[in-house]
Amino acid sequence: MSRLRILHISDVHFGQTDRSGNRWRLRHVLGKAWRDNLAALSNDGVPDIVCFTGDIAFSGKATEY
């Protein structure tokens, strides 16, 4: 029996910065831990479906996409 592999990514809020203008989400959410998790997932094969849900951009500005 084959299995269906789904990778679900949600609410990355590209473009979000903290009060000092730092892209904290890019550093903390999409930083080393993100790369390590993707490497671990890829060792088990390619997902069949990738679902990207939630807020992709922080405020919907063109520069965030």
Side-chain angles (χ1 to χ4, degrees):
M1 175 189 297
S2 64
R3 61 186 178 148
L4 179 65
R5 298 196 54 213
I6 301 170
L7 173 60
H8 180 210
I9 302 168
S10 183
D11 294 296
V12 293
H13 292 266
F14 287 118
Q16 186 171 13
T17 59
D18 62 17
R19 291 180 190 177
S20 64
N22 292 318
R23 293 186 168 219
W24 63 270
R25 186 172 296 271
L26 185 60
R27 278 194 329 272
H28 295 291
V29 176
L30 299 177
K32 183 180 180 328
W34 170 260
R35 290 187 303 272
D36 292 347
N37 285 333
L38 287 179
L41 287 169
S42 68
N43 287 336
D44 196 30
V46 178
D48 299 298
I49 298 171
V50 177
C51 299
F52 205 110
T53 63
D55 300 321
I56 296 171
F58 177 63
S59 62
K61 296 176 184 172
T63 57
E64 295 173 348
Y65 291 95

